[in-house]
Amino acid sequence: MTSSLDISPTQSVTGLEALFAPRAVAVVGASSTPGKLGAVMAQAVASYDAPIALVNPRGEDMHPSIGAAADALDSPIDLAILCVPASVTAETLRAAAAAGVQAALVCAGGFAEAGGPGVQYQQDVIDAVRETGIRVLGPNTSGFFAPHRGLRASFVPGVSAISPGPVGVISSSGGVNHAVSFRLQQAGVGVSLGVGLGAGIDVTAPDVIDHLAADPHTTAIALHIETVTDGPRMMDAIRRATRVKPVVALVIGQNDVAEFAQSHTGALATSWRTSRSVLRQSGAVLVNDETELVDAVTALARTRIHAHPAPGIGLITGQAGPGLIIADQLAGAAVAVPRLSEATTATLSTLLPPLTFQGNPVDTGRPGPEFPDVVRAVAEDPAIQAVGLYGILEPVVDLPAAVTAAGIENTPALIAVDGPAPEVASVVADGAQRDLPVVTGPTALARGLTALVRDAQAQHGLGHPLVAAPAIETGDGPWDEAEAKDLFEAAGIPVPTRARATTHEAARTAFADLNKPVAVKLVDAAVLHKTEIGGVHLGIATESQLDEALAALDRAGAKEYLLEEMASSGIDLVVGARRDPVFGPVVLLGLGGTAAEALADVALRAAPMTEGATESMIEELAGKALLRGWRGGPAVDTGQLARILATLGATLTADTGISEIEINPLRLTGSGLIALDAVIVANGTSVEED
């Protein structure tokens, strides 16, 4: 079913061919002593079909230097595997580069992650890379393996058992690289390339993504991320790759594991929520654990739904109980399992017993010889973009053969089975021969189908044009709330009718001209969260209430006052834009008000935003129903909301002197959206948290 993949990879030069497909390899620090790193790595690469040079000036029958090894071999040494201490790594890299070596694998630890002198050792390596141009994978990594080429540059036992397959694995951790690859082997999928980045001081995830995007052996990429150092580079690499093959990402850091992470591969430098949101926006499918990662790439490596905003899944099962598990999980993931058309159900009624459910899911009961016709009927329904099939193995039906016989080459299909392990393995292997993905169990099927849908939705989103929105002309700060609202109003963002006053008398005069009740606030650019110090008084309807409010504001330190007409009741949102240290300008939408941080119900996107991004942000919110006219309440105008978000993002993009803009709350009323507070923060300003 390769036609649904729409993958036409072409090999291009990414700069990593010398690392992953070297013409010759040198193991520097090789050893004949069993158990030593130099001995383990020498044995690991011994089966590679290219010249291998063992380098150790004290080793018997070994080359005394990498230069001597380069002179002795007929083929150029492209890759040096360094099994030397951190303290001499930099000088060894320089010697390798001088001998014509283009890439190096540095396995050793003891660099910046260890502190002390390791920090300088790492800087020395960075300097050597910069000066020589040699590409370095690591340090502090267990290596990589390219089963299609027979190259296994890893000190982890058992990597020889990982067979060639269509999935490229990129991991911040060498351990996770191997763990996921072993699981892909057990799932009958295999690996095209498995890479543990380690410290990633030179070769990074975007480099390997670009390499795998052009690799003809790879049809899907599994990505494990602990930290991102160059957000725009990562986003660009994922966008390029997902045009031709899917990328599935597992981002670590939801919980506070920073202390462990610093001792492992360095600090968790990026926000988990921001990283996930931006990678999804760039086209990646996001998963929550390594099992879901394997299920997702197992499906996506062999089939792919074309770009679609809301793909419909047709579910066919021979057992109602497992079918309900699958349908329930798809519903929880907001994956559509639409009711089949009358024409489809009429066809199914001629193929299936009358007591079976023939809507969707389709419960076939004990499958019979008409099963391929059932699959074809469901796949051809106009509401269906992919088909999922589940069955407990029994001799009456061969699921891969039935799907092949159905002739549904233009509709992706994912099969799940359960049964004795040898029989399951046989079906998985048969599916691979037919280019059909096969997983084990109802949950794996639901996860795989969800991944297919998420990938199609991501590709659909990437095809949209940018939202046109002008940047706010901010001028020079600092900006208090009144000034910020003037700027917002000039940019077309609705704000309340208001007046600014410097004296009690001016406040009373302004009060007389405003519709009651009003809000009375302290005006001070240095106070970002006025509620905490008693700087906001609401519902002021009489002059006596105004006098009391002004006196209270004076006690809070007010020098000026802002009076504004109060908006009608509605749903309070928070919108904003901030300059993320990794990804640059990022916009935020969530449920707002004073409980915004406690709720933490937010969605994020990198600026600039595309059309349709606002709708997808709303869909990510747990409280999305509140924006859809909940119980007769107001429904958000997504066009207006998109323009506000895009304007905030455009402002940060255009003005590098601003670090953050926030409207909290942005109230959704029957008349539309209105900004009830406004904050603009210049770079270098400390933002106090509520």
Side-chain angles (χ1 to χ4, degrees), residues 48-132:
Y48 182 50
D49 188 17
I52 307 294
L54 304 183
V55 177
N56 191 326
R58 296 188 298 273
E60 185 177 352
D61 297 326
M62 297 185 187
H63 299 283
S65 68
I66 193 165
D71 292 339
L73 295 185
D74 293 332
S75 299
I77 298 176
D78 288 330
L79 171 63
I81 299 174
L82 273 55
C83 305
V84 299
S87 59
V88 298
T89 295
E91 65 180 87
T92 306
L93 284 172
R94 287 189 169 89
V101 175
Q102 299 180 54
L105 167 63
V106 179
C107 298
F111 292 88
E113 84 285 349
V119 176
Q120 185 59 50
Y121 297 154
Q122 182 157 312
Q123 185 58 52
D124 292 342
V125 170
I126 293 171
D127 292 342
V129 170
R130 185 180 299 115
E131 293 166 12
T132 64

Side-chain angles (χ1 to χ4, degrees), residues 4 122 147 278 554:
S4 59
Q122 182 157 312
V278 173
D554 289 344

Side-chain angles (χ1 to χ4, degrees), residues 144-162:
F144 71 91
F145 38 87
H148 285 281
R149 300 184 182 279
L151 175 57
R152 294 173 171 86
S154 165
F155 58 71
V156 175
V159 294
S160 59
I162 298 174

Side-chain angles (χ1 to χ4, degrees), residues 479 488 528-529 574-579 586 588 597 648 651-652 655 657-663 679-683 685-689:
W479 307 267
F488 287 1
L528 301 182
H529 301 289
V574 56
V575 298
R578 65 182 180 87
R579 197 172 304 281
V586 173
L588 173 147
E597 287 84 357
L648 300 186
T651 303
L652 257 68
D655 190 341
I658 297 176
S659 66
E660 185 174 349
I661 304 178
E662 181 179 279
I663 303 174
V679 173
I680 303 176
V681 181
N683 284 330
T685 303
S686 176
V687 180
E688 182 184 355
E689 295 295 335

Side-chain angles (χ1 to χ4, degrees), residues 247-495:
V247 176
V248 183
L250 169 61
V251 180
I252 301 303
Q254 180 178 10
N255 300 300
D256 186 8
V257 294
E259 182 175 354
F260 176 75
Q262 286 179 351
S263 66
H264 183 44
T265 57
L268 290 167
T270 61
S271 158
W272 175 82
R273 182 179 287 114
T274 300
S275 296
R276 281 177 58 94
S277 297
V278 173
L279 297 189
R280 182 186 296 112
Q281 178 185 359
S282 301
V285 174
L286 274 294
V287 295
N288 297 314
D289 56 51
E290 73 283 0
T291 301
E292 188 179 359
L293 178 63
V294 171
D295 291 338
V297 292
T298 296
L300 285 163
R302 291 201 166 97
T303 194
R304 196 177 191 188
I305 303 173
H306 290 294
H308 197 284
I313 298 297
L315 185 58
I316 304 171
T317 176
Q319 292 81 27
L324 288 173
I325 292 175
I326 301 163
D328 183 56
Q329 294 198 19
L330 292 177
V335 172
V337 183
R339 190 167 186 85
L340 301 176
S341 68
E342 292 183 5
T344 301
T345 54
T347 299
L348 292 175
S349 68
T350 67
L351 300 170
L352 296 172
L355 296 181
T356 57
F357 186 77
Q358 299 165 14
N360 193 12
V362 176
D363 179 8
T364 64
R366 187 177 176 85
E370 71 287 339
F371 192 78
D373 297 324
V374 172
V375 174
R376 184 183 309 111
V378 174
E380 291 178 349
D381 189 280
I384 300 303
Q385 280 71 50
V387 176
L389 303 96
Y390 175 83
I392 295 175
L393 294 177
E394 49 184 325
V396 295
V397 65
D398 179 335
L399 289 179
V403 172
T404 301
I408 58 169
E409 291 80 6
N410 294 323
T411 304
L414 177 61
I415 299 170
V417 295
D418 276 308
E423 294 180 26
V424 170
S426 177
V427 173
V428 170
D430 183 29
Q433 290 296 317
R434 300 173 185 273
D435 208 16
L436 286 169
V438 180
V439 295
T440 304
T443 296
L445 179 58
R447 286 175 161 180
L449 291 170
T450 299
L452 291 174
V453 168
R454 295 286 184 263
D455 176 63
Q457 291 173 323
Q459 296 313 299
H460 180 264
L462 289 176
H464 289 173
L466 297 177
V467 177
I472 298 173
E473 297 290 341
T474 56
D476 297 327
W479 307 267
D480 57 40
E481 178 184 348
E483 292 166 334
K485 283 182 173 174
D486 290 343
L487 295 173
F488 287 1
E489 186 173 42
I493 298 175
V495 295

